[in-house]
Amino acid sequence: MDPTALQDLFERVRRGELSSEQAVASLAGLGQAELGFARLDLERRERQGVPEVIYGPSKTEEQLIRLLETLAQAGQNVMVTRLTPEVGRRLVELRPSSHYDADSGLLYEESQPVARRTVAPVAIVTAGTGDIPVAREASRTLELLGFATDCLFDVGVAGIHRLFAVLERIQRAPAVIVVAGMEGALPSVVGGLVSAPIVAVPTSVGYGAAFGGATALMGMLTSCAAGVVVVNIDNGFGAAMAVARILDVKAGP
Amino acid sequence: MDPTALQDLFERVRRGELSSEQAVASLAGLGQAELGFARLDLERRERQGVPEVIYGPSKTEEQLIRLLETLAQAGQNVMVTRLTPEVGRRLVELRPSSHYDADSGLLYEESQPVARRTVAPVAIVTAGTGDIPVAREASRTLELLGFATDCLFDVGVAGIHRLFAVLERIQRAPAVIVVAGMEGALPSVVGGLVSAPIVAVPTSVGYGAAFGGATALMGMLTSCAAGVVVVNIDNGFGAAMAVARILDVKAGP
Amino acid sequence: MDPTALQDLFERVRRGELSSEQAVASLAGLGQAELGFARLDLERRERQGVPEVIYGPSKTEEQLIRLLETLAQAGQNVMVTRLTPEVGRRLVELRPSSHYDADSGLLYEESQPVARRTVAPVAIVTAGTGDIPVAREASRTLELLGFATDCLFDVGVAGIHRLFAVLERIQRAPAVIVVAGMEGALPSVVGGLVSAPIVAVPTSVGYGAAFGGATALMGMLTSCAAGVVVVNIDNGFGAAMAVARILDVKAGP
Amino acid sequence: MDPTALQDLFERVRRGELSSEQAVASLAGLGQAELGFARLDLERRERQGVPEVIYGPSKTEEQLIRLLETLAQAGQNVMVTRLTPEVGRRLVELRPSSHYDADSGLLYEESQPVARRTVAPVAIVTAGTGDIPVAREASRTLELLGFATDCLFDVGVAGIHRLFAVLERIQRAPAVIVVAGMEGALPSVVGGLVSAPIVAVPTSVGYGAAFGGATALMGMLTSCAAGVVVVNIDNGFGAAMAVARILDVKAGP
Amino acid sequence: MDPTALQDLFERVRRGELSSEQAVASLAGLGQAELGFARLDLERRERQGVPEVIYGPSKTEEQLIRLLETLAQAGQNVMVTRLTPEVGRRLVELRPSSHYDADSGLLYEESQPVARRTVAPVAIVTAGTGDIPVAREASRTLELLGFATDCLFDVGVAGIHRLFAVLERIQRAPAVIVVAGMEGALPSVVGGLVSAPIVAVPTSVGYGAAFGGATALMGMLTSCAAGVVVVNIDNGFGAAMAVARILDVKAGP
Amino acid sequence: MDPTALQDLFERVRRGELSSEQAVASLAGLGQAELGFARLDLERRERQGVPEVIYGPSKTEEQLIRLLETLAQAGQNVMVTRLTPEVGRRLVELRPSSHYDADSGLLYEESQPVARRTVAPVAIVTAGTGDIPVAREASRTLELLGFATDCLFDVGVAGIHRLFAVLERIQRAPAVIVVAGMEGALPSVVGGLVSAPIVAVPTSVGYGAAFGGATALMGMLTSCAAGVVVVNIDNGFGAAMAVARILDVKAGP
Amino acid sequence: MDPTALQDLFERVRRGELSSEQAVASLAGLGQAELGFARLDLERRERQGVPEVIYGPSKTEEQLIRLLETLAQAGQNVMVTRLTPEVGRRLVELRPSSHYDADSGLLYEESQPVARRTVAPVAIVTAGTGDIPVAREASRTLELLGFATDCLFDVGVAGIHRLFAVLERIQRAPAVIVVAGMEGALPSVVGGLVSAPIVAVPTSVGYGAAFGGATALMGMLTSCAAGVVVVNIDNGFGAAMAVARILDVKAGP
Amino acid sequence: MDPTALQDLFERVRRGELSSEQAVASLAGLGQAELGFARLDLERRERQGVPEVIYGPSKTEEQLIRLLETLAQAGQNVMVTRLTPEVGRRLVELRPSSHYDADSGLLYEESQPVARRTVAPVAIVTAGTGDIPVAREASRTLELLGFATDCLFDVGVAGIHRLFAVLERIQRAPAVIVVAGMEGALPSVVGGLVSAPIVAVPTSVGYGAAFGGATALMGMLTSCAAGVVVVNIDNGFGAAMAVARILDVKAGP
């Protein structure tokens, strides 16, 4: 896909190092491991600057172990998201080189040391205590990518002085992740007080008219604070990945 | 319906002033004017302490004029809600004793002077400028019921210092109506700063994921500020009536 | 947040009792207990006239015990909502100074005696038997706030004489909470018979087109009885808090 | 489709009056007029006891005139539903043998006299004035089918004494059509007071959380009054047809 | 509520048999048993021609036993709907005079013999095998009310010859209940072949875009067959009650 | 994209006919016309066997004329969908080589003769008269692709003998498009009678619970007839394209 | 239903081989086995070219065994869909002539050998690993109908080179089934690269805004690739049946 | 709000330059212009680095002119969004110092020159031609903030080679805005090819199951490409503001 890689390929064909059939085949299979049930991207780190990430819920334990093995053999770091403690612990037993973090539901295995980023800590703010697991998914993901985080929990808008008590810490951050369920109002308030990028994460905390997080989601999308962006309900991982994209801009050459 | 009225009726039957047939008939037709297309409640003021209110949109001009006439003849004040300027002005032409207020869409006719209430002004707060027509419906309704209002517009949460600039005025009010569209976050913030009753009114201001006010409505219903109550989308009239019920409690004997 | 508190702070700075740095810090941390997973409001009673209330479902038992301890040490009453009997009983074992009420799902701990209010009992009316747990959450909350309640269950509109049998008791109340699932029609009928404030609580009782309470919710919001206000589905606690706000208006100076 | 008609056909084949090919063809085309854009049922009256009814909105004026002509030639009565006054009047100009009723939006043409039914009048009750056009569609349809109607408008539940004033008239009816928008609570109340069949018609009257009649529809479907049945939003015609099915049961041989 | 009963009451007051206070009290408590958690209608059979019916799911076993006892003492038949086999059997153990029918989820107790109706059997038709439990709730309810039923299962529209195989039996019925999940198309087809009243019952059979029965419900409401009426999803009981209302019309004096 | 084309490219690089830079550029721009507001696919006919199709509603008349010109110059046939008569006629005035068909809303221009396909006519069946415009979009699209069609309108399920009257014609077709609004039941019935591929098209015909075609759409997706496939609401064009894909399978080498 | 069968029947009546009563009866019961809870179609294979398929979830094990027995006695192949491993294995124990495939949830019994089709393998492509069970339902169904399949899993659009690696295999297929959850984007991309018929299957893989597959479903219906058709969420079986209809067109006489 | 500003204020009180009353008042009114219908933020540029932006649709022309005047007098740049050409042109007539851009619906007035940013152009990519107006809102907003943009229109996924033709330009951008309606699949594909921050904008382009942009919105939120963030439907302005927040991170001190 990458025009440079493609041009290299053409160049090697032109120099006779590769037949055109080999080039087509190589183009197709480039950097993939085909496991039958999955097609692993062994060069993702190069292309995206991040380790391979595996969405855990829809896979069997056998499939997960196979994926961990394959990526480890390719010398690549790996994260698996949204594992229950039960599954997480069973996987660690089967594969002691991996680590499971029950707070965030993440399992990870680091074949290579992760370089620490020099940027200031990312602020991760929650409206309530119930939003903490989603915030933990975000903070742990960022840490696995080399970023520091500053977690500020339970600062919701109904007692707004709680927000002001920590505002200075939020204002120091290069990017802010705001996690809130119920009416999801916190990103609007934070968005008016902070000029950094703000990624809002709705959560499924609440009942009745919270509709499993849909109300918080829609509320964040219609936020009157300009430039607030939103990810899927409970998607702490996605928010962290968005921040990584954002801060890599800053750290870029 | 009123047990006292019913007991009176029984008493008059017992004293022979009324036959039982007359009593049943009287019970049925008590204080109503039957106009064919409508059944007017000529004793509402007694029972509910408010003038008769007519929902305007689903009635023809002929029907509205008939209703105004009938109530005026019964010496009762009347309000008609949600009239377009076009219809409102045509009705005033046909019936010069009525008044039309284009800001709120209300037409009214006062056969009897309205007693001014002694309570402090009700605060009516909007998040944005677009919410003002709904706020005007609320404030004008309250004024027709004898209450004073203090209107505070465009104090939305994305620039929260705008709220603090007027907070003291809000805190002085015996009841607060908070009007907001889009994500509808303002009642949550106000609810945490004020201990008075708060009636939240979602508005249809916004687009896309605002879903015509449904997002603001659901946001307000799931507010993390305890004890905030909600009325229908754009229902400034209903909010005013709720406040009237609330403050009549206070002013009660 | 409170302008008076703020002015005091300025005054103390002016008098040299506080440096400006201390003032800013004090402003931020004012009356909060920071527990890592939660930011407790130790001065809520002063500001809102009510004890701190904790939403139970999204917290671990360890977190709940920590919160109870902290608030008790601050001499503040506390309520935890929506606890299953299982969790409720385990918490009482761990903390014998607390009480659990299985009917309402509330756990509470009273460090200070609650002053009884002198106002007449609040009427709490349900349409059916299935709505009783929500009504109990409301009545128990009101009792913990010092209000008396008068519970009237199973008076739904399909046998309307059941309502008339208890109407006089409802009409005596300074405020009425109406709890109903399915089509949620009861608040409309009560709203036309009573001039007191009416807080409608939709419940998730019903199946199919009841859509988990959404139908009752929408029905109550579009009630043809003017001035009826609505809280979230199954939110008996919220209705009680709204009534407390309303009746505190009455009892105000 | 009718087994008797089918057996007749077999019988005629058996007697040699028809070849089997003719029988198949006759079976297929039985009593239909094929107009290209429509397939008219010329024997409906026999099969269903009602004239052919044409849903107006999705047809051109040319198509409507063609349909009226074809049915008139077949000696069959016809109704067209939901025509705007504009279209209705233009059709009457083009075809003076037809009649248009602006109150109900119905256009009809009676080639044959309609037999008056001997049953007592059907009660048609509306909650508000805005529901009247839907009620008119129902009453006019019933009249075109030979049934008498008793219309009782604006008896909604928020002033329930209005309902009691007309209850006796409702209780005399062999079937009741209840038309209501907004929260759609009236059928629940009527359903508990009347043992006759009740057909509930939700209307699109209302705004905001009325969601174009969906709230009234869902409310009626979850009615706590047993045995209330429901038709589509604003479908006065369908309610009338349901009543015709019901009362024909009674009048059956 | 009943004008005749009311007139009697007035008459007795007039004759001095009752004081007006007694009359008001009697009016209010007329024929009700107040159990705290429920208000039983002990005169329902007189007013509606049916036994008291109790919606089972939202009541505790203790409450159900209390209700059964009270109604039996009043000499009234009773049905409880939607009980799981587990609960049903436990109740029968506690109260051996009651019967539980696992196919329909109904528990019933007949203090008085039910008079058999002379009308032909009601046809109960299902589209598939999965719809049978709902059909059984309808047929068993009708039987408890004295009506005979003719059940025709699995005649869905995708193999329409299955419908024609039983059409004659359907056409003999004085009323038809059509039960269908998924796309809910069967009532439209039956509605075109039968002139009797048709009550359509959507079921929650299906997955994905069946949305728990909402698709079948909406499909039935928009049926192109005129005069089809609809009840709530899975509401076999409600359909039976509607048919009882309909056929009582026929059997009326 | 096409591996063969890619291999050709490599081959030409290998033979020195192309530099690798030229190859990359050629790969990128292959067969596209870049117009600023649009990127036209000038080789679509080769790749997909169909002319370029332009979705009309979201383009200005200027843009449409530019697109028609460019494609005509490339010798390619073109269709524009969903044009109102107003716009359609204005475009024909501006560009007399194009044709507009008001029945289907299609405008087309044929630079090259379309080869007639030898397959039997595709059956296009509608439930009602209101569904005809959508059916016309499908039939006209198929004709522009060289297929014959057999249109059978108004054969809806509520008078199922209308369907049987034309069943033989439907059964002769190699593929069937079934177009229906309201409850969308027709594809289920046809699907059980015909073994050919069936593409169901829901339409927005209907009101109230038809929800703009969503009910028909969901009904078709949950059809109990196996193997029925569905396209978007009112998407006659898409259904025709699906049939073209299907019948091209048959005609394949 | 089949006109030819009907004509045969008429012919036999004409020849006196059958009385007209026998003909009607025969017409009705033609080829059905009536089991009380189900009406089995014993001639389906003739009419539709496929074995009888039974939707498993809404049937009891007793019912399933009865259905298997009846169809086996009629010499017909049978498939049961969507059985959990628990139920599947219990049925195989009870009926050892049947086979259960846990990957697809299908149980089947082949009384007659299935003829292998000569067409090239059908491509079954999934976006992710979680979509595999749905794909397996499709592939196993096709195999039971005699078609070969080529499964290509985990080729989702976020790493589009994974798709290109297998594109040639997809392009060789006579029909393509594309299975995807979450945003359901894969059919749009495949639809632009392949001219064969494409059946898109949305899956319930995902969380939050995936809304149980509704987002993927709606995305596929609005695909910008023309001629993509869609089946219900998770309906791998339906997609296979659609492909069978399509390829039988090709293989037709 | 800003702790530094607050500390300054305390400091001035401490130094006796301000009384504590003055400090409180100053705190409240800081940098606001109160216009009755709006509360303008005259210091926004300082706090957020952007001019004041006014949401146009819900304001009258008189209000808009007042806002423009006030901001111009304060020497602040201003943008008004979503104005129709009609309103836009009328405003320019009334206020010739302002400019209206019909492509984007933006009106703006620049009192101060905008500093050009040195960062590479932001890529703005649309799936189709219909998405261009939303893209123009984004690009024009960015230009008013000093950023350069590179617009790439009509590169949607159904002809994916169109995307590859412009991929290199997209890969050069420091941030990418992807605008798409219908199924909204483009951000998923771009997200896998580019490591820069990606802001996805769903549009209301499409019909039927596009549900006014909700399908595209939900599709983008469930994108399988990690780290894609989303704004409201048609919210080109919001996407631009998000990019400004992101790129200001990079350009920060």
Side-chain angles (χ1 to χ4, degrees), chain B residues 197-232:
Chain B
I198 293 176
V199 180
V201 190
T203 72
S204 51
V205 169
Y207 61 90
F211 292 121
T215 292
L217 170 60
M218 297 311 159
M220 289 170 176
L221 285 164
T222 53
S223 171
C224 52
V228 168
V229 293
V230 186
V231 295
N232 195 5

Side-chain angles (χ1 to χ4, degrees), chain F residues 34-85:
Chain F
E34 155 61 296
L35 303 182
F37 62 90
R39 230 159 271 274
L40 268 180
D41 196 349
L42 300 181
E43 296 177 340
R44 190 163 210 164
R45 203 166 49 89
E46 272 68 42
R47 207 170 63 253
Q48 294 220 341
V50 300
E52 180 74 319
V53 182
I54 295 162
Y55 178 61
S58 55
K59 299 193 181 62
T60 64
E61 294 178 20
E62 291 68 30
Q63 290 174 335
L64 290 171
I65 291 292
R66 279 284 308 282
L67 291 166
L68 289 170
E69 282 170 0
T70 309
L71 287 159
Q73 280 160 16
Q76 201 165 330
N77 293 349
V78 58
M79 290 170 51
V80 186
T81 61
R82 309 225 158 182
L83 297 177
T84 59

Side-chain angles (χ1 to χ4, degrees), chain B residues 35 37 59-70 87 90-91 94:
Chain B
L35 303 182
F37 63 92
K59 299 194 181 61
T60 64
E61 295 179 18
E62 290 69 30
Q63 291 174 336
L64 291 170
I65 290 293
R66 279 285 308 282
L67 292 166
L68 289 170
E69 282 170 358
T70 308
V87 174
R90 211 149 44 218
L91 289 177
L94 291 166

Side-chain angles (χ1 to χ4, degrees), chain B residues 234-251:
Chain B
D234 290 336
N235 192 5
F237 164 73
M241 295 300 281
V243 166
R245 286 179 181 259
I246 289 166
L247 296 184
D248 277 342
V249 169
K250 190 175 183 168

Side-chain angles (χ1 to χ4, degrees), chain B residues 39-60:
Chain B
R39 231 159 272 272
L40 268 180
D41 196 348
L42 301 181
E43 297 178 339
R44 191 164 211 163
R45 203 166 49 90
E46 273 68 43
R47 209 170 60 252
Q48 295 219 341
V50 300
E52 179 76 327
V53 181
I54 294 164
Y55 178 61
S58 55
K59 299 194 181 61
T60 64

Side-chain angles (χ1 to χ4, degrees), chain A residues 56-243:
Chain A
S58 55
K59 299 193 182 62
T60 65
E61 295 180 18
E62 291 69 30
Q63 291 174 335
L64 291 171
I65 290 293
R66 280 286 306 284
L67 291 166
L68 289 170
E69 283 170 358
T70 309
L71 287 159
Q73 280 160 17
Q76 199 164 332
N77 292 350
V78 59
M79 290 169 50
V80 186
T81 61
R82 311 228 157 178
L83 297 177
T84 59
E86 213 168 50
V87 174
R89 278 156 200 158
R90 211 149 43 219
L91 289 178
V92 171
E93 274 173 39
L94 291 166
R95 195 163 168 83
S97 52
S98 65
H99 302 268
Y100 176 69
D101 174 56
D103 281 351
S104 62
L106 289 176
L107 180 143
Y108 53 95
E109 191 165 335
E110 299 192 343
S111 306
Q112 304 180 5
V114 177
R116 295 293 113 198
R117 313 292 181 112
T118 56
V119 75
V122 174
I124 301 182
V125 188
T126 78
T129 299
D131 306 314
I132 294 179
V134 175
R136 289 265 183 242
E137 191 185 71
S139 71
R140 181 53 53 116
T141 299
L142 280 169
E143 286 157 15
L144 292 171
L145 299 172
F147 295 94
T149 62
D150 183 16
C151 290
L152 303 154
F153 298 150
D154 195 26
V155 298
V157 299
I160 201 141
H161 56 297
R162 292 183 296 172
L163 173 59
F164 290 113
V166 298
L167 185 55
E168 214 173 350
R169 277 162 71 188
I170 299 175
Q171 284 173 331
R172 270 199 295 266
V176 184
I177 292 174
V178 184
V179 185
M182 293 161 119
E183 84 272 54
L186 188 55
S188 293
V189 179
V190 173
L193 296 168
V194 162
S195 64
I198 293 175
V199 180
V201 190
T203 72
S204 51
V205 168
Y207 61 91
F211 291 121
T215 292
L217 170 61
M218 297 311 160
M220 289 170 175
L221 284 163
T222 53
S223 172
C224 52
V228 168
V229 293
V230 186
V231 296
N232 195 5
I233 298 164
D234 290 336
N235 192 4
F237 164 73
M241 295 301 281
V243 165

